[in-house]
Short mmCIF file of all heavy atoms in Angstrom, two decimals:
data_model
loop_
_atom_site.label_atom_id
_atom_site.label_comp_id
_atom_site.label_asym_id
_atom_site.label_seq_id
_atom_site.Cartn_x
_atom_site.Cartn_y
_atom_site.Cartn_z
N MET A 1 2.06 -72.08 56.88
CA MET A 1 2.11 -70.62 56.50
C MET A 1 0.73 -70.11 56.25
O MET A 1 0.36 -69.95 55.08
CB MET A 1 3.00 -70.47 55.33
CG MET A 1 4.31 -71.08 55.38
SD MET A 1 5.49 -69.71 55.35
CE MET A 1 6.95 -70.59 55.87
N SER A 2 0.01 -69.91 57.26
CA SER A 2 -1.38 -69.40 57.00
C SER A 2 -1.45 -67.86 57.06
O SER A 2 -2.56 -67.28 56.96
CB SER A 2 -2.36 -70.00 58.09
OG SER A 2 -1.88 -69.55 59.29
N ASP A 3 -0.28 -67.16 57.20
CA ASP A 3 -0.34 -65.74 57.20
C ASP A 3 -0.75 -65.19 55.89
O ASP A 3 -0.22 -65.58 54.85
CB ASP A 3 1.08 -65.21 57.47
CG ASP A 3 1.50 -65.39 58.97
OD1 ASP A 3 0.82 -66.14 59.72
OD2 ASP A 3 2.41 -64.66 59.38
N LYS A 4 -1.77 -64.28 55.87
CA LYS A 4 -2.25 -63.71 54.69
C LYS A 4 -1.35 -62.58 54.25
O LYS A 4 -0.98 -61.74 55.07
CB LYS A 4 -3.63 -63.17 54.94
CG LYS A 4 -4.30 -62.59 53.73
CD LYS A 4 -5.77 -62.13 54.07
CE LYS A 4 -6.36 -61.43 52.89
NZ LYS A 4 -7.69 -60.97 53.27
N MET A 5 -0.91 -62.56 52.96
CA MET A 5 -0.02 -61.52 52.54
C MET A 5 -0.82 -60.27 52.36
O MET A 5 -1.85 -60.24 51.71
CB MET A 5 0.63 -61.90 51.19
CG MET A 5 1.66 -60.86 50.65
SD MET A 5 2.43 -61.50 49.20
CE MET A 5 1.52 -60.69 48.01
N THR A 6 -0.37 -59.19 53.02
CA THR A 6 -1.06 -57.93 52.90
C THR A 6 -0.18 -56.91 52.18
O THR A 6 1.01 -56.81 52.53
CB THR A 6 -1.47 -57.33 54.33
OG1 THR A 6 -0.88 -58.11 55.31
CG2 THR A 6 -2.92 -57.26 54.47
N ILE A 7 -0.74 -56.26 51.26
CA ILE A 7 -0.09 -55.23 50.51
C ILE A 7 -0.47 -53.94 51.09
O ILE A 7 -1.65 -53.58 51.24
CB ILE A 7 -0.44 -55.22 49.05
CG1 ILE A 7 -0.13 -56.59 48.43
CG2 ILE A 7 0.28 -54.12 48.27
CD1 ILE A 7 -0.56 -56.81 47.05
N PRO A 8 0.51 -53.06 51.51
CA PRO A 8 0.17 -51.70 52.03
C PRO A 8 -0.58 -50.88 51.04
O PRO A 8 -0.42 -51.01 49.84
CB PRO A 8 1.57 -51.08 52.28
CG PRO A 8 2.57 -52.18 52.17
CD PRO A 8 1.96 -53.26 51.40
N TYR A 9 -1.46 -50.03 51.52
CA TYR A 9 -2.35 -49.22 50.62
C TYR A 9 -1.57 -48.41 49.64
O TYR A 9 -1.94 -48.29 48.48
CB TYR A 9 -3.23 -48.26 51.48
CG TYR A 9 -4.19 -48.96 52.38
CD1 TYR A 9 -4.73 -48.18 53.49
CD2 TYR A 9 -4.76 -50.13 52.09
CE1 TYR A 9 -5.66 -48.77 54.31
CE2 TYR A 9 -5.66 -50.71 52.93
CZ TYR A 9 -6.15 -50.06 53.98
OH TYR A 9 -7.07 -50.60 54.88
N TRP A 10 -0.39 -47.89 50.05
CA TRP A 10 0.36 -47.04 49.21
C TRP A 10 1.06 -47.77 48.11
O TRP A 10 1.65 -47.13 47.14
CB TRP A 10 1.39 -46.15 50.00
CG TRP A 10 2.40 -46.95 50.73
CD1 TRP A 10 3.61 -47.35 50.29
CD2 TRP A 10 2.25 -47.41 52.05
NE1 TRP A 10 4.17 -48.01 51.18
CE2 TRP A 10 3.42 -48.11 52.34
CE3 TRP A 10 1.28 -47.34 53.05
CZ2 TRP A 10 3.67 -48.73 53.59
CZ3 TRP A 10 1.53 -47.95 54.26
CH2 TRP A 10 2.73 -48.56 54.54
N LYS A 11 1.02 -49.10 48.13
CA LYS A 11 1.56 -49.87 46.97
C LYS A 11 0.51 -50.49 46.09
O LYS A 11 0.85 -51.06 45.05
CB LYS A 11 2.43 -50.97 47.57
CG LYS A 11 3.76 -50.47 48.22
CD LYS A 11 4.65 -51.67 48.54
CE LYS A 11 5.98 -51.16 49.06
NZ LYS A 11 6.89 -52.26 49.31
N LYS A 12 -0.77 -50.42 46.49
CA LYS A 12 -1.83 -50.96 45.69
C LYS A 12 -2.26 -50.09 44.56
O LYS A 12 -2.19 -48.85 44.65
CB LYS A 12 -3.12 -51.17 46.61
CG LYS A 12 -2.98 -52.27 47.63
CD LYS A 12 -4.29 -52.44 48.23
CE LYS A 12 -4.29 -53.67 49.13
NZ LYS A 12 -5.57 -54.06 49.70
N TYR A 13 -2.55 -50.80 43.43
CA TYR A 13 -3.04 -49.98 42.24
C TYR A 13 -4.42 -49.48 42.46
O TYR A 13 -4.78 -48.36 42.08
CB TYR A 13 -2.91 -50.91 41.03
CG TYR A 13 -3.29 -50.16 39.73
CD1 TYR A 13 -2.49 -49.31 39.09
CD2 TYR A 13 -4.55 -50.40 39.16
CE1 TYR A 13 -2.84 -48.56 38.02
CE2 TYR A 13 -4.90 -49.74 37.96
CZ TYR A 13 -4.06 -48.86 37.41
OH TYR A 13 -4.43 -48.15 36.26
N THR A 14 -5.31 -50.38 42.97
CA THR A 14 -6.73 -49.99 43.20
C THR A 14 -7.03 -50.18 44.71
O THR A 14 -6.44 -51.04 45.38
CB THR A 14 -7.70 -50.70 42.34
OG1 THR A 14 -7.65 -52.18 42.69
CG2 THR A 14 -7.50 -50.51 40.85
N LEU A 15 -7.98 -49.40 45.21
CA LEU A 15 -8.45 -49.52 46.56
C LEU A 15 -9.95 -49.63 46.59
O LEU A 15 -10.67 -49.07 45.75
CB LEU A 15 -8.14 -48.16 47.34
CG LEU A 15 -6.64 -47.79 47.40
CD1 LEU A 15 -6.46 -46.40 48.02
CD2 LEU A 15 -5.83 -48.82 48.16
N SER A 16 -10.49 -50.45 47.55
CA SER A 16 -11.90 -50.50 47.75
C SER A 16 -12.35 -49.16 48.38
O SER A 16 -11.46 -48.36 48.82
CB SER A 16 -12.26 -51.72 48.69
OG SER A 16 -11.71 -51.39 49.98
N ILE A 17 -13.64 -48.97 48.49
CA ILE A 17 -14.17 -47.76 49.19
C ILE A 17 -13.56 -47.74 50.57
O ILE A 17 -13.16 -46.67 51.06
CB ILE A 17 -15.66 -47.74 49.22
CG1 ILE A 17 -16.27 -47.65 47.75
CG2 ILE A 17 -16.27 -46.76 50.13
CD1 ILE A 17 -16.06 -46.21 47.15
N GLU A 18 -13.55 -48.80 51.32
CA GLU A 18 -13.17 -48.87 52.72
C GLU A 18 -11.70 -48.57 52.80
O GLU A 18 -11.24 -47.79 53.67
CB GLU A 18 -13.45 -50.27 53.31
CG GLU A 18 -14.92 -50.60 53.41
CD GLU A 18 -15.52 -51.10 52.11
OE1 GLU A 18 -14.79 -51.36 51.08
OE2 GLU A 18 -16.78 -51.18 52.09
N GLU A 19 -10.90 -49.11 51.87
CA GLU A 19 -9.42 -48.86 51.91
C GLU A 19 -9.20 -47.41 51.52
O GLU A 19 -8.31 -46.77 52.16
CB GLU A 19 -8.70 -49.78 50.88
CG GLU A 19 -8.69 -51.22 51.34
CD GLU A 19 -8.23 -52.09 50.27
OE1 GLU A 19 -8.31 -51.82 49.06
OE2 GLU A 19 -7.71 -53.15 50.65
N ALA A 20 -9.87 -46.88 50.58
CA ALA A 20 -9.67 -45.44 50.11
C ALA A 20 -10.03 -44.49 51.20
O ALA A 20 -9.40 -43.51 51.41
CB ALA A 20 -10.52 -45.18 48.86
N ALA A 21 -11.11 -44.86 51.97
CA ALA A 21 -11.54 -44.01 53.09
C ALA A 21 -10.41 -43.92 54.14
O ALA A 21 -10.08 -42.75 54.59
CB ALA A 21 -12.81 -44.53 53.74
N ALA A 22 -9.80 -45.06 54.41
CA ALA A 22 -8.67 -45.02 55.42
C ALA A 22 -7.45 -44.28 54.84
O ALA A 22 -6.83 -43.46 55.53
CB ALA A 22 -8.38 -46.44 55.80
N TYR A 23 -7.12 -44.57 53.59
CA TYR A 23 -5.92 -44.01 52.97
C TYR A 23 -6.03 -42.46 52.78
O TYR A 23 -5.13 -41.77 53.17
CB TYR A 23 -5.63 -44.69 51.66
CG TYR A 23 -4.44 -44.15 50.98
CD1 TYR A 23 -3.16 -44.64 51.31
CD2 TYR A 23 -4.47 -43.28 49.92
CE1 TYR A 23 -2.00 -44.20 50.70
CE2 TYR A 23 -3.31 -42.87 49.29
CZ TYR A 23 -2.10 -43.40 49.63
OH TYR A 23 -1.01 -42.86 49.02
N PHE A 24 -7.17 -41.99 52.29
CA PHE A 24 -7.30 -40.57 52.03
C PHE A 24 -7.98 -39.77 53.20
O PHE A 24 -8.03 -38.64 53.06
CB PHE A 24 -8.16 -40.38 50.76
CG PHE A 24 -7.50 -40.90 49.45
CD1 PHE A 24 -7.93 -42.02 48.83
CD2 PHE A 24 -6.48 -40.14 48.91
CE1 PHE A 24 -7.27 -42.47 47.61
CE2 PHE A 24 -5.81 -40.57 47.74
CZ PHE A 24 -6.27 -41.73 47.17
N ARG A 25 -8.41 -40.51 54.20
CA ARG A 25 -9.07 -39.91 55.36
C ARG A 25 -10.26 -39.08 54.92
O ARG A 25 -10.54 -37.98 55.28
CB ARG A 25 -8.06 -38.97 56.10
CG ARG A 25 -6.91 -39.79 56.70
CD ARG A 25 -6.04 -39.05 57.64
NE ARG A 25 -6.72 -38.23 58.61
CZ ARG A 25 -7.04 -38.64 59.84
NH1 ARG A 25 -6.88 -39.93 60.13
NH2 ARG A 25 -7.61 -37.79 60.68
N ILE A 26 -11.03 -39.78 54.06
CA ILE A 26 -12.39 -39.31 53.59
C ILE A 26 -13.44 -40.31 54.00
O ILE A 26 -13.15 -41.51 53.81
CB ILE A 26 -12.34 -39.08 52.04
CG1 ILE A 26 -11.28 -38.07 51.56
CG2 ILE A 26 -13.66 -38.62 51.53
CD1 ILE A 26 -11.09 -38.03 50.11
N GLY A 27 -14.54 -39.91 54.41
CA GLY A 27 -15.54 -40.78 54.85
C GLY A 27 -16.05 -41.72 53.73
O GLY A 27 -16.07 -41.27 52.61
N GLU A 28 -16.45 -42.88 54.08
CA GLU A 28 -16.90 -43.85 53.20
C GLU A 28 -18.19 -43.33 52.37
O GLU A 28 -18.29 -43.45 51.18
CB GLU A 28 -17.31 -45.17 53.77
CG GLU A 28 -16.14 -46.00 54.21
CD GLU A 28 -16.47 -47.30 54.78
OE1 GLU A 28 -17.52 -47.91 54.39
OE2 GLU A 28 -15.66 -47.80 55.61
N ASN A 29 -19.11 -42.69 53.10
CA ASN A 29 -20.29 -42.07 52.54
C ASN A 29 -19.95 -40.99 51.50
O ASN A 29 -20.52 -40.94 50.46
CB ASN A 29 -21.26 -41.50 53.63
CG ASN A 29 -21.86 -42.63 54.40
OD1 ASN A 29 -22.03 -43.81 53.90
ND2 ASN A 29 -22.32 -42.29 55.55
N LYS A 30 -18.97 -40.14 51.89
CA LYS A 30 -18.51 -39.14 51.01
C LYS A 30 -17.88 -39.68 49.74
O LYS A 30 -18.17 -39.22 48.59
CB LYS A 30 -17.50 -38.17 51.68
CG LYS A 30 -17.08 -37.04 50.82
CD LYS A 30 -18.28 -36.07 50.58
CE LYS A 30 -17.71 -34.78 49.90
NZ LYS A 30 -18.81 -33.89 49.72
N LEU A 31 -17.07 -40.76 49.87
CA LEU A 31 -16.52 -41.43 48.65
C LEU A 31 -17.55 -42.01 47.77
O LEU A 31 -17.51 -41.93 46.55
CB LEU A 31 -15.53 -42.49 49.11
CG LEU A 31 -14.14 -42.06 49.50
CD1 LEU A 31 -13.34 -43.08 50.10
CD2 LEU A 31 -13.38 -41.41 48.33
N ARG A 32 -18.59 -42.62 48.40
CA ARG A 32 -19.68 -43.19 47.62
C ARG A 32 -20.45 -42.16 46.86
O ARG A 32 -20.87 -42.27 45.71
CB ARG A 32 -20.64 -44.00 48.54
CG ARG A 32 -20.03 -45.24 49.08
CD ARG A 32 -21.01 -46.06 49.90
NE ARG A 32 -20.29 -47.04 50.76
CZ ARG A 32 -19.68 -48.19 50.35
NH1 ARG A 32 -19.81 -48.50 49.11
NH2 ARG A 32 -19.11 -49.01 51.17
N LYS A 33 -20.54 -40.98 47.52
CA LYS A 33 -21.24 -39.83 46.82
C LYS A 33 -20.42 -39.29 45.67
O LYS A 33 -20.95 -39.03 44.54
CB LYS A 33 -21.43 -38.67 47.87
CG LYS A 33 -22.18 -37.48 47.32
CD LYS A 33 -22.45 -36.44 48.33
CE LYS A 33 -23.09 -35.27 47.74
NZ LYS A 33 -23.18 -34.10 48.63
N ILE A 34 -19.16 -39.27 45.77
CA ILE A 34 -18.26 -38.87 44.75
C ILE A 34 -18.34 -39.80 43.56
O ILE A 34 -18.36 -39.46 42.40
CB ILE A 34 -16.77 -38.72 45.27
CG1 ILE A 34 -16.64 -37.54 46.15
CG2 ILE A 34 -15.74 -38.63 44.09
CD1 ILE A 34 -15.31 -37.54 46.98
N VAL A 35 -18.35 -41.08 43.96
CA VAL A 35 -18.47 -42.15 42.85
C VAL A 35 -19.79 -42.04 42.13
O VAL A 35 -19.84 -42.03 40.90
CB VAL A 35 -18.32 -43.56 43.43
CG1 VAL A 35 -18.75 -44.70 42.45
CG2 VAL A 35 -16.87 -43.80 43.94
N ASP A 36 -20.85 -41.82 42.89
CA ASP A 36 -22.24 -41.75 42.29
C ASP A 36 -22.33 -40.43 41.38
O ASP A 36 -23.12 -40.50 40.42
CB ASP A 36 -23.26 -41.71 43.37
CG ASP A 36 -23.48 -43.09 44.00
OD1 ASP A 36 -23.13 -44.11 43.34
OD2 ASP A 36 -24.05 -43.11 45.15
N GLU A 37 -21.58 -39.38 41.70
CA GLU A 37 -21.69 -38.21 40.89
C GLU A 37 -21.11 -38.35 39.52
O GLU A 37 -21.49 -37.67 38.59
CB GLU A 37 -21.01 -37.06 41.59
CG GLU A 37 -21.83 -36.52 42.87
CD GLU A 37 -21.12 -35.49 43.66
OE1 GLU A 37 -19.94 -35.20 43.37
OE2 GLU A 37 -21.76 -34.99 44.56
N ASP A 38 -20.06 -39.16 39.36
CA ASP A 38 -19.42 -39.44 38.12
C ASP A 38 -18.95 -40.84 38.00
O ASP A 38 -17.80 -41.14 38.27
CB ASP A 38 -18.21 -38.50 37.89
CG ASP A 38 -17.67 -38.52 36.41
OD1 ASP A 38 -18.20 -39.36 35.60
OD2 ASP A 38 -16.70 -37.81 36.20
N ARG A 39 -19.86 -41.78 37.60
CA ARG A 39 -19.54 -43.18 37.61
C ARG A 39 -18.63 -43.55 36.35
O ARG A 39 -18.28 -44.71 36.35
CB ARG A 39 -20.81 -43.99 37.52
CG ARG A 39 -21.77 -43.80 38.76
CD ARG A 39 -23.09 -44.47 38.73
NE ARG A 39 -22.97 -45.88 38.73
CZ ARG A 39 -22.85 -46.67 39.85
NH1 ARG A 39 -22.87 -46.07 40.99
NH2 ARG A 39 -22.83 -47.97 39.74
N THR A 40 -18.24 -42.63 35.55
CA THR A 40 -17.39 -42.92 34.42
C THR A 40 -16.06 -42.23 34.61
O THR A 40 -15.26 -42.14 33.62
CB THR A 40 -18.00 -42.48 33.06
OG1 THR A 40 -18.24 -41.08 33.09
CG2 THR A 40 -19.28 -43.23 32.77
N ALA A 41 -15.79 -41.69 35.82
CA ALA A 41 -14.44 -41.00 36.05
C ALA A 41 -13.31 -41.93 35.77
O ALA A 41 -13.38 -43.13 35.94
CB ALA A 41 -14.41 -40.56 37.47
N ASP A 42 -12.18 -41.28 35.32
CA ASP A 42 -11.02 -42.09 34.96
C ASP A 42 -10.40 -42.84 36.17
O ASP A 42 -9.74 -43.85 36.00
CB ASP A 42 -9.87 -41.21 34.46
CG ASP A 42 -10.24 -40.66 33.00
OD1 ASP A 42 -11.06 -41.25 32.39
OD2 ASP A 42 -9.64 -39.63 32.58
N TYR A 43 -10.62 -42.31 37.37
CA TYR A 43 -9.99 -42.98 38.56
C TYR A 43 -10.94 -44.09 39.14
O TYR A 43 -10.54 -44.69 40.13
CB TYR A 43 -9.80 -41.94 39.72
CG TYR A 43 -11.01 -41.07 40.03
CD1 TYR A 43 -11.99 -41.59 40.89
CD2 TYR A 43 -11.20 -39.78 39.55
CE1 TYR A 43 -13.08 -40.86 41.23
CE2 TYR A 43 -12.34 -39.00 39.80
CZ TYR A 43 -13.23 -39.59 40.70
OH TYR A 43 -14.37 -38.90 41.00
N LEU A 44 -11.94 -44.49 38.43
CA LEU A 44 -12.76 -45.61 38.82
C LEU A 44 -12.58 -46.80 37.94
O LEU A 44 -12.43 -46.78 36.70
CB LEU A 44 -14.29 -45.21 38.82
CG LEU A 44 -14.68 -44.02 39.72
CD1 LEU A 44 -16.09 -43.74 39.55
CD2 LEU A 44 -14.32 -44.35 41.18
N LEU A 45 -12.62 -47.98 38.53
CA LEU A 45 -12.56 -49.26 37.86
C LEU A 45 -13.70 -50.09 38.36
O LEU A 45 -13.83 -50.36 39.54
CB LEU A 45 -11.19 -49.93 38.14
CG LEU A 45 -11.09 -51.40 37.54
CD1 LEU A 45 -11.02 -51.41 36.00
CD2 LEU A 45 -9.82 -52.04 38.03
N TRP A 46 -14.50 -50.53 37.44
CA TRP A 46 -15.74 -51.36 37.85
C TRP A 46 -15.48 -52.80 37.62
O TRP A 46 -14.99 -53.20 36.62
CB TRP A 46 -16.91 -50.88 37.05
CG TRP A 46 -17.44 -49.45 37.46
CD1 TRP A 46 -17.04 -48.32 36.99
CD2 TRP A 46 -18.29 -49.22 38.65
NE1 TRP A 46 -17.64 -47.29 37.62
CE2 TRP A 46 -18.40 -47.81 38.65
CE3 TRP A 46 -18.97 -49.94 39.55
CZ2 TRP A 46 -19.16 -47.15 39.59
CZ3 TRP A 46 -19.70 -49.35 40.47
CH2 TRP A 46 -19.80 -48.01 40.53
N ASN A 47 -15.74 -53.64 38.60
CA ASN A 47 -15.80 -55.01 38.50
C ASN A 47 -17.20 -55.51 38.80
O ASN A 47 -17.62 -55.63 39.92
CB ASN A 47 -14.85 -55.66 39.56
CG ASN A 47 -14.74 -57.16 39.48
OD1 ASN A 47 -15.31 -57.80 38.59
ND2 ASN A 47 -14.01 -57.74 40.43
N GLY A 48 -17.96 -55.61 37.73
CA GLY A 48 -19.51 -55.85 37.94
C GLY A 48 -20.08 -54.58 38.57
O GLY A 48 -19.93 -53.51 38.05
N ASN A 49 -20.67 -54.70 39.73
CA ASN A 49 -21.21 -53.60 40.36
C ASN A 49 -20.35 -53.07 41.52
O ASN A 49 -20.75 -52.22 42.22
CB ASN A 49 -22.68 -53.91 40.87
CG ASN A 49 -22.62 -54.95 41.95
OD1 ASN A 49 -21.65 -55.67 42.14
ND2 ASN A 49 -23.78 -55.08 42.64
N ARG A 50 -19.20 -53.60 41.66
CA ARG A 50 -18.23 -53.18 42.69
C ARG A 50 -17.23 -52.22 42.16
O ARG A 50 -16.61 -52.51 41.11
CB ARG A 50 -17.50 -54.42 43.28
CG ARG A 50 -18.49 -55.36 44.01
CD ARG A 50 -17.71 -56.39 44.82
NE ARG A 50 -16.81 -55.74 45.68
CZ ARG A 50 -16.90 -55.85 47.06
NH1 ARG A 50 -17.84 -56.59 47.53
NH2 ARG A 50 -16.04 -55.18 47.85
N VAL A 51 -17.03 -51.12 42.85
CA VAL A 51 -16.12 -50.15 42.29
C VAL A 51 -14.72 -50.23 43.05
O VAL A 51 -14.72 -50.58 44.24
CB VAL A 51 -16.74 -48.66 42.54
CG1 VAL A 51 -16.76 -48.38 44.03
CG2 VAL A 51 -15.92 -47.66 41.77
N GLN A 52 -13.71 -50.00 42.31
CA GLN A 52 -12.33 -49.89 42.85
C GLN A 52 -11.95 -48.47 42.45
O GLN A 52 -12.15 -48.01 41.38
CB GLN A 52 -11.49 -50.88 42.22
CG GLN A 52 -11.75 -52.35 42.73
CD GLN A 52 -11.32 -52.62 44.08
OE1 GLN A 52 -10.09 -52.48 44.40
NE2 GLN A 52 -12.20 -52.91 44.95
N ILE A 53 -11.13 -47.91 43.31
CA ILE A 53 -10.58 -46.51 43.03
C ILE A 53 -9.09 -46.71 42.71
O ILE A 53 -8.29 -47.24 43.48
CB ILE A 53 -10.79 -45.65 44.33
CG1 ILE A 53 -12.31 -45.46 44.58
CG2 ILE A 53 -10.12 -44.33 44.11
CD1 ILE A 53 -12.63 -44.76 45.78
N LYS A 54 -8.77 -46.14 41.56
CA LYS A 54 -7.38 -46.20 41.12
C LYS A 54 -6.61 -45.13 41.98
O LYS A 54 -6.86 -43.95 41.82
CB LYS A 54 -7.24 -45.88 39.65
CG LYS A 54 -7.94 -46.93 38.76
CD LYS A 54 -7.87 -46.55 37.26
CE LYS A 54 -8.69 -47.51 36.45
NZ LYS A 54 -8.68 -47.01 35.03
N ARG A 55 -5.73 -45.61 42.81
CA ARG A 55 -5.17 -44.69 43.85
C ARG A 55 -4.45 -43.54 43.21
O ARG A 55 -4.70 -42.36 43.61
CB ARG A 55 -4.15 -45.55 44.66
CG ARG A 55 -3.51 -44.80 45.78
CD ARG A 55 -2.52 -45.63 46.56
NE ARG A 55 -1.58 -46.26 45.68
CZ ARG A 55 -0.47 -45.67 45.09
NH1 ARG A 55 -0.24 -44.37 45.36
NH2 ARG A 55 0.36 -46.36 44.38
N VAL A 56 -3.57 -43.75 42.29
CA VAL A 56 -2.74 -42.58 41.79
C VAL A 56 -3.67 -41.56 41.05
O VAL A 56 -3.45 -40.36 41.25
CB VAL A 56 -1.60 -43.11 40.86
CG1 VAL A 56 -0.87 -41.97 40.13
CG2 VAL A 56 -0.61 -43.93 41.69
N LEU A 57 -4.58 -42.06 40.24
CA LEU A 57 -5.45 -41.13 39.52
C LEU A 57 -6.38 -40.35 40.44
O LEU A 57 -6.65 -39.25 40.21
CB LEU A 57 -6.30 -41.93 38.50
CG LEU A 57 -5.45 -42.46 37.26
CD1 LEU A 57 -6.39 -43.20 36.33
CD2 LEU A 57 -4.81 -41.35 36.61
N PHE A 58 -6.82 -41.01 41.51
CA PHE A 58 -7.68 -40.35 42.47
C PHE A 58 -6.83 -39.29 43.27
O PHE A 58 -7.34 -38.24 43.58
CB PHE A 58 -8.23 -41.31 43.45
CG PHE A 58 -9.38 -40.71 44.31
CD1 PHE A 58 -10.59 -40.32 43.70
CD2 PHE A 58 -9.28 -40.57 45.68
CE1 PHE A 58 -11.62 -39.69 44.42
CE2 PHE A 58 -10.24 -39.97 46.40
CZ PHE A 58 -11.44 -39.55 45.77
N GLU A 59 -5.53 -39.66 43.57
CA GLU A 59 -4.71 -38.66 44.15
C GLU A 59 -4.58 -37.39 43.31
O GLU A 59 -4.62 -36.24 43.79
CB GLU A 59 -3.32 -39.22 44.38
CG GLU A 59 -3.18 -40.18 45.48
CD GLU A 59 -1.87 -40.92 45.63
OE1 GLU A 59 -0.97 -40.65 44.78
OE2 GLU A 59 -1.67 -41.69 46.59
N LYS A 60 -4.45 -37.56 41.97
CA LYS A 60 -4.30 -36.45 41.04
C LYS A 60 -5.60 -35.62 41.01
O LYS A 60 -5.61 -34.44 41.04
CB LYS A 60 -4.02 -36.93 39.64
CG LYS A 60 -2.56 -37.46 39.47
CD LYS A 60 -2.27 -37.98 38.12
CE LYS A 60 -0.92 -38.45 38.02
NZ LYS A 60 -0.59 -39.10 36.78
N TYR A 61 -6.75 -36.37 41.08
CA TYR A 61 -8.09 -35.68 41.15
C TYR A 61 -8.17 -34.79 42.42
O TYR A 61 -8.59 -33.66 42.31
CB TYR A 61 -9.22 -36.73 41.15
CG TYR A 61 -10.56 -36.21 41.53
CD1 TYR A 61 -11.25 -35.40 40.58
CD2 TYR A 61 -11.11 -36.48 42.79
CE1 TYR A 61 -12.53 -34.96 40.99
CE2 TYR A 61 -12.35 -36.04 43.10
CZ TYR A 61 -12.99 -35.23 42.17
OH TYR A 61 -14.27 -34.73 42.58
N ILE A 62 -7.79 -35.32 43.52
CA ILE A 62 -7.84 -34.62 44.76
C ILE A 62 -6.87 -33.45 44.71
O ILE A 62 -7.30 -32.29 45.19
CB ILE A 62 -7.50 -35.49 45.96
CG1 ILE A 62 -8.61 -36.49 46.23
CG2 ILE A 62 -7.17 -34.67 47.25
CD1 ILE A 62 -8.28 -37.50 47.30
N ASP A 63 -5.72 -33.51 44.10
CA ASP A 63 -4.79 -32.42 43.97
C ASP A 63 -5.43 -31.25 43.16
O ASP A 63 -5.05 -30.10 43.38
CB ASP A 63 -3.47 -32.82 43.31
CG ASP A 63 -2.65 -33.70 44.21
OD1 ASP A 63 -2.88 -33.67 45.47
OD2 ASP A 63 -1.73 -34.38 43.72
N GLU A 64 -6.30 -31.59 42.22
CA GLU A 64 -6.92 -30.54 41.35
C GLU A 64 -8.09 -29.79 41.94
O GLU A 64 -8.52 -28.76 41.41
CB GLU A 64 -7.29 -31.20 40.01
CG GLU A 64 -6.14 -31.66 39.21
CD GLU A 64 -6.50 -32.44 37.98
OE1 GLU A 64 -7.70 -32.60 37.78
OE2 GLU A 64 -5.61 -32.91 37.31
N ILE A 65 -8.76 -30.39 43.00
CA ILE A 65 -9.92 -29.72 43.49
C ILE A 65 -9.58 -28.94 44.79
O ILE A 65 -8.57 -29.19 45.43
CB ILE A 65 -11.07 -30.73 43.77
CG1 ILE A 65 -10.58 -31.79 44.82
CG2 ILE A 65 -11.50 -31.42 42.49
CD1 ILE A 65 -11.62 -32.81 45.17
N ASP A 66 -10.45 -27.99 45.13
CA ASP A 66 -10.30 -27.13 46.25
C ASP A 66 -10.92 -27.69 47.53
O ASP A 66 -10.48 -27.33 48.66
CB ASP A 66 -10.73 -25.72 45.96
CG ASP A 66 -9.98 -25.03 44.98
OD1 ASP A 66 -8.72 -25.23 44.77
OD2 ASP A 66 -10.58 -24.23 44.13
N ALA A 67 -11.97 -28.44 47.41
CA ALA A 67 -12.70 -28.91 48.59
C ALA A 67 -13.42 -30.19 48.19
O ALA A 67 -13.71 -30.44 47.05
CB ALA A 67 -13.72 -27.94 48.98
N ILE A 68 -13.55 -31.07 49.21
CA ILE A 68 -14.31 -32.29 48.99
C ILE A 68 -15.62 -32.20 49.65
O ILE A 68 -15.85 -31.68 50.68
CB ILE A 68 -13.42 -33.48 49.62
CG1 ILE A 68 -12.31 -33.76 48.69
CG2 ILE A 68 -14.34 -34.63 49.88
CD1 ILE A 68 -12.20 -35.20 48.13
#
């Protein structure tokens, strides 16, 4: 059983930049810029120097803004 278990993006608690770009249809560079603008945002989780985006909280953030 060498099949790697994959969890769909919409079930994950956190997403990498690459996963978030695919899920939200926002470019990776744009997401990195958003992260750099507010590195203490509630929707971010830091593991050392690697950032994870909390999917549900980032969805709420996107709902509140008019443009990305």
Side-chain angles (χ1 to χ4, degrees):
M1 307 244 167
S2 63
D3 287 14
K4 183 178 174 183
M5 186 173 95
T6 7
I7 301 170
Y9 294 155
W10 61 89
K11 289 188 176 184
K12 288 186 171 187
Y13 182 75
T14 62
L15 303 170
S16 67
I17 292 286
E18 296 79 11
E19 291 170 332
Y23 182 79
F24 292 107
R25 296 186 50 84
I26 299 171
E28 288 181 30
N29 289 337
K30 184 65 174 183
L31 280 172
R32 290 181 198 286
K33 183 178 177 188
I34 291 170
V35 168
D36 286 341
E37 287 174 355
D38 186 2
R39 296 177 67 86
T40 62
D42 290 341
Y43 54 80
L44 298 178
L45 174 67
W46 290 92
N47 181 7
N49 64 347
R50 296 189 56 115
V51 67
Q52 291 283 300
I53 296 174
K54 297 176 186 175
R55 183 183 50 80
V56 173
L57 291 178
F58 193 68
E59 286 173 356
K60 289 178 184 176
Y61 166 73
I62 289 175
D63 287 343
E64 294 173 1
I65 60 176
D66 294 326
I68 283 239

